[in-house]
C-alpha cells in the first residue's frame, strides 16, 4: 500500500480543513438532495471516513448530527415561510419523499411530532440557535419546556 506524500503535506492538510469549514454552507445549499453523510462527503469530494473525522474535529459534533440539525432547520425555515402549507408539501420541499418520512425523522431524531412543528411555526423559529443546541435542548425548545421540565 503506497501513501502519497502530497496527500498529507501540511499545506494541503490545512487547505482541506479550511475548505471543510464551509461544509455547513454547502449542506444548507443542497439539503434537498443530500440524504446521508456518505453522499455529503462524496459531493464535497472527500471519503466518508476522512470527512466525518475532520467535521468532528472542526465542529465538535458528528457529521450525522449536523446533517440532522440542518435538515430540521430547513424544515423550520420552510414552515416559517409557508405556515398554511400541508405537511406533505413541506416534506417534499425539504427533501423527504412524503410527510410520513418527515414525521419518522422528527420522531426518531428529536422526539417531536409534526404538530409540534406547526405550533412552533405560529410563534416563529430560531434556526441559527437550534444548530447550536443539543438534541435534548431542541426537544425542550419544541415542547416549550425549561431544562428542568425536560428531564
Amino acid at each position: 500500500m503506497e501513501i502519497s506524500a502530497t496527500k498529507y503535506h501540511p499545506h494541503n492538510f490545512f487547505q482541506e480543513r479550511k475548505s471543510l469549514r464551509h461544509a455547513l454552507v454547502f449542506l444548507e445549499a443542497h439539503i434537498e438532495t443530500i440524504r446521508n453523510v456518505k453522499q455529503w462527503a462524496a459531493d464535497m469530494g472527500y471519503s466518508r471516513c476522512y470527512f466525518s473525522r475532520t467535521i468532528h474535529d472542526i465542529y465538535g459534533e458528528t457529521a450525522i448530527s449536523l446533517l440532522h440539525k440542518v435538515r430540521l432547520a430547513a424544515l423550520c425555515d420552510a414552515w416559517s415561510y409557508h405556515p398554511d402549507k400541508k405537511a406533505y408539501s413541506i416534506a417534499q420541499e425539504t427533501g423527504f419523499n412524503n410527510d410520513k418520512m418527515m414525521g419518522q425523522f422528527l420522531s426518531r431524531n428529536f422526539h417531536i411530532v409534526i404538530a409540534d412543528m406547526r405550533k412552533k411555526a405560529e410563534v416563529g423559529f430560531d434556526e441559527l440557535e437550534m444548530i447550536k443546541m443539543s438534541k435534548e435542548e431542541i426537544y425542550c425548545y419544541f415542547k416549550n419546556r425549561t431544562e428542568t421540565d425536560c428531564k
Side-chain angles (χ1 to χ4, degrees):
M1 182 172 158
E2 187 177 312
I3 298 175
S4 170
T6 58
K7 184 173 185 181
Y8 298 104
H9 188 274
H11 175 73
N12 290 347
F13 175 76
F14 291 114
Q15 193 67 24
E16 284 184 14
R17 284 184 74 93
K18 187 178 178 185
S19 70
L20 277 173
R21 290 197 185 279
H22 302 289
L24 284 179
V25 174
F26 181 87
L27 178 61
E28 289 169 356
H30 300 91
I31 194 66
E32 298 86 18
T33 58
I34 295 175
R35 301 276 182 228
N36 53 44
V37 174
K38 185 177 180 180
Q39 184 182 0
W40 183 16
D43 288 356
M44 290 196 68
Y46 297 97
S47 73
R48 185 195 53 77
C49 292
Y50 176 80
F51 182 80
S52 295
R53 195 172 45 250
T54 308
I55 288 292
H56 188 270
D57 290 347
I58 293 171
Y59 293 104
E61 285 190 62
T62 62
I64 192 69
S65 177
L66 289 172
L67 177 65
H68 289 166
K69 287 180 180 183
V70 170
R71 190 168 303 284
L72 178 64
L75 281 168
C76 294
D77 193 43
W79 237 301
S80 292
Y81 288 109
H82 310 288
D84 297 332
K85 265 193 174 181
K86 299 284 184 194
Y88 186 83
S89 298
I90 296 289
Q92 288 191 319
E93 265 182 43
T94 53
F96 293 98
N97 290 340
N98 54 42
D99 55 331
K100 183 178 178 185
M101 287 185 73
M102 179 178 68
Q104 287 175 342
F105 166 79
L106 293 170
S107 176
R108 287 179 184 160
N109 295 297
F110 300 102
H111 306 291
I112 57 177
V113 295
I114 292 174
D116 295 330
M117 295 288 292
R118 285 190 194 281
K119 286 180 200 169
K120 203 65 174 175
E122 293 172 5
V123 294
F125 297 105
D126 189 351
E127 297 92 352
L128 294 177
E129 199 56 38
M130 277 193 300
I131 296 291
K132 299 174 190 172
M133 294 178 185
S134 68
K135 289 190 176 191
E136 293 79 19
E137 291 170 328
I138 291 171
Y139 171 79
C140 293
Y141 175 78
F142 276 93
K143 297 294 186 178
N144 292 323
R145 297 180 181 166
T146 62
E147 279 300 312
T148 54
D149 292 339
C150 288
K151 293 182 181 179

